[in-house]
Amino acid sequence: MKDLQTIQGETHQDLKHDSAIKQVMGRAEYTDDIAEPAGTLHAYLGVSNVAHALINRMDLSRVRAAQGVITVLTAADIPGVNDVSPSGRNDEPVFPTEKIEFHGQPMFAVIAETRDAARRAAELADVDYTILPHALDPISARNAGMPLVTDPLKLERGDVGKGFETAKNRIKGQIVIGGQDHMYLEGHIAFAIPGEDDDVIVHCSTQHPSEAQHMVAHVLGVPSNAVVVNVRRMGGGFGGKESQMNLFAAVAAIGAKKLNRPVKIRPDRDQDMTATGKRHDFVVDYDVGFDTEGRIEAVEGQFAARCGYSSDLSGPVTDRALFHADNAYFYPNVRLNSRPQKTNTVSNTAFRGFGGPQGVVAAERMIEEIAFALNKDPLDIRKANFYGDENDGRNVTPYHQTVEDNVIGRIVEELEESAEYRSRRADIIKENAKGGVIRRGIALTPVKFGISFTATWYNQAGALIHIYSDGSIHLNHGGTEMGQGLNTKVAQVVAEAFQVDFDRIKITKTTTEKVPNTSATAASSGSDLNGMAALDAAEQLKARLVTFATESRGVSPDTVRFMPNHVQIGDELVPFAHFIKEAYMARVHLSAAGFYKTPKIHWDRASGKGRPFYYYAYGASCSEVSIDTLTGEYRVERTDILHDVGRSLNPILDKGQVEGAFIQGMGWLTTEELWWDDAGRLRTHAPSTYKIPLASDRPREFNVKLADWSENREMTIKRSKAVGEPPFMLGISVLEALSMAVASVADYRHCPRLETPATPERILMAVERLKAQG
Ligand code: MTE
Ligand code: HPA
Ligand code: MOS
């Protein structure tokens, strides 16, 4: 009996993404694929064409008169509260009434018979403004006296003043770190279907259905129990759908309830890029003191971020930048301050890494500065500063969490070996010394990333499992599928718990009707949280089934075992489906709700102390690049990665996450440039001008490995580690390698101080600058 030996789809096994075939065949259903009921209408946003202004008068008569238009929604049509701010600061109106705060801000929505009609009509508004002065970036906004969007954070440990006093060397500098557009394949979309009384169902591409639900209820002025939000899957989220869907869900729902007809809203790519938030760009001022060996003694950092006009998630994003300003390094004396700066730009938001990558880039810049100053290999500086353990006391972070699971030393050693870093670096230096037009660079950079939402209450999840009387299993959990493979992993956990084949489990859409009060699928915690909640539900059901088996056969519980697709009861072996049928006939309750909350974590923001993270994920990458010093063009010749996912739930999916995250991180730091003109208009608002990495930009040689010896020392789901965000920061090795290649034109005497994204244009300018410096 083959199926008695093992089940198909256990954890720790490669298993393809459950939607892979459907996606390739075009059969995977996204929000826009849902069959539209008769009478469905389409909405489109009308937006501002100034960055900062008072609205004197908004004449929408031409919009209303346009062909196919049914109605126009403005702030006056909002029955409840005109606010969709996720931060609770009430600073994000659906439609502003008095003031425009960024170029492209939504002001009203047209609802028409067709999307095309709505889109054309949205252009016809006649708005009379009083123009106000605007500031676009965090420095000019600070100079103009603009406020912060939320309270800043300070982290402090040790005695910074004394640290600088005793340090032999000291370097101060500034780095500008660019933002990033999410560029998900599927843009924002919401589709609202009105029901009786206050009811409305909203299908929405969102990472955070519960928040969309609460926002819709809030703007409609109805309780949350009137609103259902559903999402089967997203065509990518990357953080861009953690809060930014609120506006679309709200507009669709307001329209649907006002007209009592289904309303769908889907911005085109340009509007998606201009009207929704992105990764925060930062200006970081750093000051680092170090000894003659390159050991860091003191660090001071100011992290100013372009937050845009409202708070959105900028508080926790700028907090996480500070939490990662140490990367994998111990700072004996440290003071870090965030500056969540208000600007007259779109409100920036979550993006893979959630501020962490910006912190890590700043840390790596300091390492580079030290290496150039001391004329050493940056890898030696890195190693000299890695966190230690309880033996050397170099294991406390700037937020006073003790690092207990440090594996960065081993990861880096192994990668250094397998990538032949030292010999290749020596070759490159020799080759560059010949003075050719093409210069090469190589860098090996580490990553340490904290896992948990820093908002502690978010670290909870629920799941719901039904077993039907035919033995088929219906699985639902609070997480959302955005391509990362969460549903596959959670189903593997459940398949293994019941010892049934993966195919027996139906993965269903995420809906606020089944699991309430869920957190965003974010902070890489999807499988950690929902995997555990699902396991809890499965264990409850198994306990009931064991009781039933014992009672029905008069055997002791320890003789009952879940075997592959069977249940063993004493000497009897019953096929799973038969056993379930029996249990149903005996009136066993075959549905269970599971719950999980992350243990051990706590965080006191006021004092800057606590244990915000349950554990850390680690990784390292080594990249070699070549640059053309006459044009600034470059390519990545080879990248080697060793990444730690603990005991992987599904190695092939995790490898896919590592590869994708690396490429996305590389794109952020190299070609993806956001550029606003003086009027505050985003000019890189479409793939024609905004350059994400292409297949041809991947490293010519790409070796990706998971650290198969790693196991989470905390009791996470099957001892795995989160994988979604940490490998994003592996892309930093490309930036550092570019820096080395540039530095070669002046014999590595100066730190090139590249700003990011390091576009070919910036590389060329840096080469020219360094040549002039000599
Ligand atoms: N992978 C794909 N294919 N698509 C995505 O949108 N989002 C990333 C990451 N990997 C994303 C992705 C982000 S920002 C996060 S926080 C995690 O997936 C969320 O999913 P997880 O917690 O289940 O890993
Ligand atoms: N990460 C991602 N998303 C979040 C977080 C976080 O730490 N906090 C709130 N939303
Ligand atoms: Mo990911 S930025 O936490 O959605």
Side-chain angles (χ1 to χ4, degrees):
M1 271 170 94
K2 186 181 148 284
D3 64 349
L4 242 183
Q5 281 153 22
T6 166
I7 59 159
Q8 167 251 336
E10 284 180 306
T11 64
H12 310 311
Q13 306 290 321
D14 287 346
L15 184 68
K16 71 172 180 289
H17 192 294
D18 78 282
S19 301
I21 302 289
K22 282 186 281 191
Q23 277 162 330
V24 172
M25 304 284 282
R27 294 203 189 112
E29 195 173 83
Y30 294 84
T31 302
D32 209 22
D33 299 321
I34 296 169
E36 293 172 10
T40 296
L41 298 171
H42 299 268
Y44 208 81
L45 297 173
V47 301
S48 75
N49 55 10
V50 294
H52 194 199
L54 296 175
I55 306 170
N56 301 327
R57 195 179 48 86
M58 201 155 62
D59 180 357
L60 300 173
S61 51
R62 287 180 62 218
V63 183
R64 290 181 203 280
Q67 203 196 343
V69 170
I70 304 288
T71 192
V72 178
L73 303 178
T74 66
D77 296 292
I78 297 173
V81 183
N82 183 11
D83 179 66
V84 285
S85 165
S87 71
R89 295 177 77 94
N90 296 334
D91 58 358
E92 202 169 318
V94 180
F95 299 126
T97 50
E98 287 158 15
K99 214 174 175 185
I100 293 302
E101 303 211 78
F102 71 95
H103 200 293
Q105 182 170 9
M107 297 189 295
F108 61 90
V110 191
I111 299 184
E113 294 286 357
T114 65
R115 186 165 168 272
D116 188 51
R119 196 172 160 207
R120 287 171 194 279
E123 301 288 318
L124 302 176
D126 182 8
V127 187
D128 182 39
Y129 303 107
T130 301
I131 302 295
L132 301 171
H134 62 256
L136 303 176
D137 65 86
I139 303 302
S140 48
R142 181 183 62 198
N143 293 341
M146 281 173 69
L148 304 181
V149 292
T150 185
D151 297 334
L153 174 68
K154 175 162 122 176
L155 300 180
E156 189 162 22
R157 221 199 62 252
D159 186 337
V160 182
K162 213 153 135 213
F164 280 120
E165 246 168 60
T166 54
K168 284 267 178 336
N169 305 289
R170 184 168 181 177
I171 296 176
K172 287 188 197 195
Q174 184 180 74
I175 178 170
V176 177
I177 304 167
Q180 188 177 25
D181 187 86
H182 300 87
M183 204 48 90
Y184 21 56
L185 281 176
E186 177 209 34
H188 278 283
I189 181 165
F191 180 28
I193 301 168
E196 64 178 24
D197 302 326
D198 289 335
D199 295 358
V200 62
I201 297 171
V202 186
H203 299 276
C204 181
S205 185
T206 175
Q207 296 172 240
H208 201 345
S210 286
E211 181 163 278
Q213 176 199 19
H214 295 307
M215 286 297 162
V216 166
H218 193 59
V219 297
L220 291 179
V222 302
S224 290
N225 64 11
V227 182
V228 174
V229 173
N230 295 327
V231 53
R232 173 60 185 89
R233 61 170 64 75
M234 283 162 273
F238 304 112
K241 296 167 180 171
E242 184 173 338
S243 64
Q244 299 289 298
M245 70 293 166
N246 285 341
L247 178 87
F248 300 98
V251 168
I254 296 165
K257 288 312 280 184
K258 179 176 172 176
L259 300 167
N260 200 28
R261 287 172 71 173
V263 172
K264 186 189 278 189
I265 181 165
R266 175 169 67 82
D268 65 9
R269 180 62 63 173
D270 296 59
Q271 190 169 82
D272 191 297
M273 288 184 74
T274 51
T276 71
K278 311 170 189 318
R279 181 184 296 282
H280 293 66
D281 44 339
F282 275 68
V283 178
V284 183
D285 290 293
Y286 53 86
D287 187 353
V288 54
F290 52 98
D291 68 13
T292 48
E293 293 304 302
R295 273 213 175 187
I296 292 171
E297 295 184 6
V299 168
E300 175 145 32
Q302 306 280 344
F303 290 71
R306 170 166 16 208
C307 295
Y309 85 103
S310 72
S311 53
D312 185 74
L313 300 167
S314 293
V317 167
T318 48
D319 287 3
R320 195 174 267 275
L322 297 198
F323 287 127
H324 290 84
D326 59 344
N327 192 14
Y329 311 118
F330 176 64
Y331 298 161
N333 303 289
V334 53
R335 182 161 58 228
L336 307 166
N337 283 285
S338 69
R339 194 175 163 80
Q341 180 65 54
K342 176 167 176 158
T343 51
N344 295 116
T345 49
V346 67
S347 192
N348 280 332
T349 195
F351 196 142
R352 205 168 195 169
F354 205 74
Q358 293 92 320
V360 175
V361 165
E364 293 305 328
R365 165 55 52 85
M366 289 188 277
I367 295 289
E368 243 197 314
E369 292 269 25
I370 296 169
F372 281 107
L374 300 177
N375 193 20
K376 285 179 184 275
D377 182 339
L379 184 57
D380 291 325
I381 308 299
R382 295 190 165 101
K383 287 181 166 184
N385 287 289
F386 280 157
Y387 277 108
D389 52 33
E390 57 282 358
N391 298 322
D392 58 16
R394 294 169 56 87
N395 64 346
V396 188
T397 63
Y399 43 95
H400 301 257
Q401 172 162 353
T402 304
V403 181
E404 296 172 341
D405 57 6
N406 188 1
V407 293
I408 196 62
R410 178 165 178 192
I411 295 260
V412 165
E413 294 278 340
E414 288 191 12
L415 186 68
E416 184 182 336
E417 191 82 3
S418 66
E420 297 176 294
Y421 170 82
R422 298 284 176 182
S423 59
R424 284 167 63 207
R425 186 168 192 272
D427 287 349
I428 288 170
I429 290 174
K430 218 189 294 163
E431 194 61 32
N432 284 345
K434 294 180 185 161
V437 165
I438 305 293
R439 296 297 177 94
R440 287 191 293 157
I442 188 170
L444 196 161
T445 57
V447 172
K448 161 177 152 289
F449 195 78
I451 303 299
S452 293
F453 286 96
T454 56
T456 304
W457 69 89
Y458 270 145
N459 297 286
Q460 58 171 305
L464 181 67
I465 298 178
H466 305 320
I467 309 178
Y468 293 102
S469 57
D470 65 352
S472 65
I473 297 173
H474 172 114
L475 166 63
N476 193 271
H477 58 81
T480 58
E481 177 63 46
M482 58 193 102
Q484 83 277 43
L486 173 63
N487 282 345
T488 308
K489 290 182 181 177
V490 177
Q492 281 177 277
V493 168
V494 173
E496 185 167 283
F498 289 113
Q499 284 295 299
V500 297
D501 288 335
F502 183 85
D503 295 347
R504 194 180 283 275
I505 295 163
K506 180 85 184 170
I507 302 164
T508 56
K509 70 172 182 283
T510 314
T511 171
T512 55
E513 280 184 314
K514 282 189 187 150
V515 180
N517 308 319
T518 54
S519 299
T521 306
S524 304
S525 63
S527 48
D528 280 15
L529 297 175
N530 295 289
M532 278 297 210
L535 184 61
D536 177 43
E539 294 298 343
Q540 292 176 43
L541 287 165
K542 281 171 70 181
R544 285 180 216 154
L545 290 168
V546 169
T547 305
F548 162 67
T550 341
E551 287 171 5
S552 65
R553 306 298 198 278
V555 297
S556 73
D558 55 313
T559 66
V560 182
R561 282 175 64 200
F562 286 82
M563 303 289 284
N565 298 304
H566 290 76
V567 181
Q568 179 161 18
I569 312 167
D571 296 334
E572 212 185 319
L573 197 59
V574 191
F576 185 79
H578 291 201
F579 178 63
I580 292 299
K581 182 70 186 227
E582 248 189 81
Y584 162 74
M585 295 304 292
R587 297 182 295 173
V588 175
H589 181 200
L590 292 175
S591 172
F595 185 78
Y596 176 73
K597 58 182 182 193
T598 311
K600 295 189 179 179
I601 49 176
H602 54 93
W603 170 239
D604 178 20
R605 194 174 184 275
S607 67
K609 290 182 183 171
R611 175 180 180 168
F613 304 122
Y614 187 30
Y615 64 89
Y616 296 98
Y618 299 85
S621 65
C622 177
S623 292
E624 178 180 336
V625 301
S626 59
I627 65 168
D628 182 328
T629 53
L630 297 180
T631 63
E633 288 165 296
Y634 46 73
R635 66 183 200 195
V636 182
E637 304 290 355
R638 173 172 165 186
T639 292
D640 294 72
I641 288 173
L642 181 60
H643 193 78
D644 158 35
V645 294
R647 285 202 68 200
S648 174
L649 285 172
N650 184 328
I652 198 85
L653 290 187
D654 284 353
K655 251 179 106 174
Q657 285 289 294
V658 173
E659 290 168 1
F662 168 82
I663 297 289
Q664 197 171 36
M666 176 186 93
W668 168 51
L669 294 169
T670 55
T671 58
E672 297 185 40
E673 186 169 28
L674 293 167
W675 195 82
W676 287 264
D677 65 18
D678 290 343
R681 180 170 168 193
L682 180 67
R683 290 298 191 153
T684 50
H685 54 77
S688 53
T689 44
Y690 184 81
K691 297 298 178 192
I692 62 169
L694 303 175
S696 53
D697 294 318
R698 81 202 181 283
R700 289 292 185 280
E701 186 182 338
F702 198 16
N703 305 312
V704 178
K705 247 187 90 186
L706 303 178
D708 51 18
W709 42 262
S710 179
E711 173 168 290
N712 201 330
R713 69 196 292 279
E714 298 296 346
M715 288 289 290
T716 51
I717 185 74
K718 308 283 173 188
R719 301 278 184 174
S720 66
K721 287 190 179 185
V723 68
E725 294 168 291
F728 181 88
M729 283 147 280
L730 298 173
I732 295 171
S733 61
V734 174
L735 176 69
E736 302 295 308
L738 286 170
S739 182
M740 176 183 169
V742 169
S744 74
V745 304
D747 262 338
Y748 315 99
R749 280 190 299 274
H750 313 285
C751 177
R753 294 193 166 181
L754 291 174
E755 296 191 341
T756 80
T759 55
E761 190 182 354
R762 284 213 173 99
I763 295 293
L764 182 60
M765 290 190 301
V767 164
E768 293 296 319
R769 177 162 48 79
L770 258 72
K771 277 183 180 164
Q773 260 177 294

